Amino acid sequence: WAERGMPVLAETPVGASPEQLDRVWALASQRGARITSAEQYHRYPVMMHGFRAVEAGLIGTPVSAYVSLAHDYHGFSLITRMLGTVGEAYSLRAVRQETPVLVTDSRYGAIMDGSETDEARDTVFITFESGKTAVYDFSPAQYRSFIRSRHVVVRGTRGEWSDRLVCYADEHGLPARLPLMPDIPEAYRALDTQALRDVRKTWTQELFLDTAQDEFAIASMLLDMTRYVQGGPTPYPLPDALDDARFWLLVQDAVRQPFVECRAPCMPWRDA
């Protein structure tokens, strides 16, 4: 479809090998293909509220992040947006740990038979060229488990974003708190639902990304695609999607050599 001139919203990741990533970029750079990626986690309403707080400067300059929220390319997408390091060179060290864990939940409902499974957890230490740092820490068990939670911490010079609370110093240097809610930006107000309004009735410290927020994130991409099809801006820049996938592939190599430094190669979509 891209070769036929149609704007394409591609599933994540946009490629599963270096060769596939190069081919996708060649389609865009040499043949003018318009390809974007269905990267949705930064579009969850509660995450959007957190990003707006960071962009407004509430925590000052972001300097480090801990993200234990979503796997691989999704996690890297969040990290680079939280720190303002999109497209920046980086190096990483990684380790994969496999330990047993009690099975408590599944796509099909709760599991209460006491069974266990192996939990593979990747922990990746990232250092960006600017000196900012991040830790990516995730196991697939976090998606469906009653005993595994998800977390985000973004530390800045004037405060931090911790799960669903932003703690910062106000203009007088006094401590302030901002609870993060699944608020809908004006541009997407037509996508608000009763389910999201129900979520906004209560607040907890725990960070959860429910189905209602996932549906909103996907719907917002489709809404943006109408503008993209008509010649408007991309919902998600292709070079960013290629970077996200490249991180995933690099981690797969890095965990085979625990704690050995791996440097992300310079990619042609960034040279351009």
Short mmCIF file of all heavy atoms in Angstrom, two decimals, residues 41 73 102 109 111 134 145 179 181 199 203 220 223 243 245 264:
data_model
loop_
_atom_site.label_atom_id
_atom_site.label_comp_id
_atom_site.label_asym_id
_atom_site.label_seq_id
_atom_site.Cartn_x
_atom_site.Cartn_y
_atom_site.Cartn_z
N TYR A 41 1.30 4.17 23.62
CA TYR A 41 1.36 4.29 25.07
C TYR A 41 1.45 5.73 25.57
O TYR A 41 0.90 6.06 26.63
CB TYR A 41 2.51 3.44 25.64
CG TYR A 41 2.11 1.99 25.77
CD1 TYR A 41 2.26 1.11 24.71
CD2 TYR A 41 1.51 1.52 26.94
CE1 TYR A 41 1.86 -0.21 24.81
CE2 TYR A 41 1.10 0.20 27.05
CZ TYR A 41 1.29 -0.66 25.98
OH TYR A 41 0.87 -1.96 26.08
N TYR A 73 10.03 -1.74 22.42
CA TYR A 73 9.93 -0.51 21.65
C TYR A 73 8.96 0.48 22.30
O TYR A 73 9.17 1.69 22.26
CB TYR A 73 9.51 -0.79 20.21
CG TYR A 73 8.63 -2.00 20.05
CD1 TYR A 73 7.25 -1.93 20.21
CD2 TYR A 73 9.19 -3.25 19.77
CE1 TYR A 73 6.45 -3.05 20.10
CE2 TYR A 73 8.40 -4.39 19.64
CZ TYR A 73 7.02 -4.29 19.81
OH TYR A 73 6.23 -5.41 19.70
N LEU A 102 4.18 -16.81 40.56
CA LEU A 102 2.84 -17.36 40.65
C LEU A 102 1.96 -16.77 39.55
O LEU A 102 1.97 -15.56 39.31
CB LEU A 102 2.24 -17.01 42.01
CG LEU A 102 0.83 -17.57 42.31
CD1 LEU A 102 0.89 -19.07 42.49
CD2 LEU A 102 0.28 -16.89 43.57
N GLY A 109 -9.06 -14.45 32.12
CA GLY A 109 -9.60 -14.36 33.46
C GLY A 109 -8.60 -14.82 34.52
O GLY A 109 -7.47 -15.23 34.21
N ILE A 111 -6.59 -16.86 37.39
CA ILE A 111 -6.11 -18.24 37.55
C ILE A 111 -5.75 -18.42 39.01
O ILE A 111 -4.86 -17.75 39.53
CB ILE A 111 -4.89 -18.51 36.64
CG1 ILE A 111 -5.29 -18.36 35.17
CG2 ILE A 111 -4.33 -19.90 36.91
CD1 ILE A 111 -4.14 -18.53 34.20
N ALA A 134 18.55 6.38 31.91
CA ALA A 134 17.25 5.73 32.08
C ALA A 134 17.46 4.26 32.41
O ALA A 134 18.47 3.66 32.04
CB ALA A 134 16.41 5.87 30.81
N SER A 145 -1.31 -9.50 35.81
CA SER A 145 -0.92 -10.12 37.08
C SER A 145 -1.50 -9.31 38.23
O SER A 145 -1.53 -8.08 38.17
CB SER A 145 0.61 -10.18 37.20
OG SER A 145 0.99 -10.67 38.47
N PRO A 179 -2.05 15.47 41.12
CA PRO A 179 -2.52 14.13 40.81
C PRO A 179 -2.79 14.01 39.31
O PRO A 179 -3.38 14.91 38.70
CB PRO A 179 -3.83 14.01 41.61
CG PRO A 179 -3.81 15.17 42.56
CD PRO A 179 -3.02 16.24 41.89
N MET A 181 -4.70 12.57 36.20
CA MET A 181 -5.99 12.01 35.86
C MET A 181 -6.06 11.73 34.35
O MET A 181 -5.32 12.35 33.58
CB MET A 181 -7.10 12.98 36.25
CG MET A 181 -7.13 13.32 37.72
SD MET A 181 -7.60 11.90 38.75
CE MET A 181 -9.34 11.77 38.36
N VAL A 199 -13.61 6.69 35.28
CA VAL A 199 -12.26 6.58 35.84
C VAL A 199 -11.87 7.88 36.52
O VAL A 199 -11.21 7.89 37.57
CB VAL A 199 -11.25 6.23 34.73
CG1 VAL A 199 -9.81 6.31 35.26
CG2 VAL A 199 -11.52 4.83 34.18
N TRP A 203 -9.27 8.61 42.27
CA TRP A 203 -7.83 8.70 42.03
C TRP A 203 -7.12 7.82 43.02
O TRP A 203 -7.45 7.78 44.22
CB TRP A 203 -7.33 10.14 42.19
CG TRP A 203 -5.85 10.26 41.92
CD1 TRP A 203 -5.25 10.46 40.72
CD2 TRP A 203 -4.80 10.15 42.89
NE1 TRP A 203 -3.88 10.49 40.87
CE2 TRP A 203 -3.58 10.30 42.20
CE3 TRP A 203 -4.77 9.94 44.27
CZ2 TRP A 203 -2.34 10.24 42.83
CZ3 TRP A 203 -3.53 9.88 44.91
CH2 TRP A 203 -2.34 10.04 44.20
N SER A 220 -7.47 7.92 19.01
CA SER A 220 -6.82 9.20 18.74
C SER A 220 -5.85 9.10 17.57
O SER A 220 -5.69 10.05 16.80
CB SER A 220 -6.09 9.70 20.01
OG SER A 220 -4.91 8.96 20.26
N LEU A 223 -7.95 9.17 14.47
CA LEU A 223 -8.39 10.53 14.22
C LEU A 223 -7.28 11.36 13.57
O LEU A 223 -7.50 12.09 12.61
CB LEU A 223 -8.84 11.19 15.53
CG LEU A 223 -9.44 12.59 15.41
CD1 LEU A 223 -10.71 12.58 14.58
CD2 LEU A 223 -9.73 13.15 16.80
N ASP A 243 13.72 4.00 15.44
CA ASP A 243 14.58 4.00 16.63
C ASP A 243 14.04 3.06 17.70
O ASP A 243 14.80 2.34 18.34
CB ASP A 243 14.66 5.41 17.21
CG ASP A 243 15.67 6.30 16.48
OD1 ASP A 243 16.50 5.76 15.72
OD2 ASP A 243 15.61 7.52 16.68
N ALA A 245 12.17 0.38 17.37
CA ALA A 245 12.39 -1.01 16.98
C ALA A 245 13.87 -1.38 17.07
O ALA A 245 14.22 -2.51 17.46
CB ALA A 245 11.87 -1.25 15.56
N ALA A 264 24.48 2.01 20.42
CA ALA A 264 23.56 2.00 19.29
C ALA A 264 24.26 2.57 18.07
O ALA A 264 24.85 3.65 18.13
CB ALA A 264 22.32 2.84 19.62
#
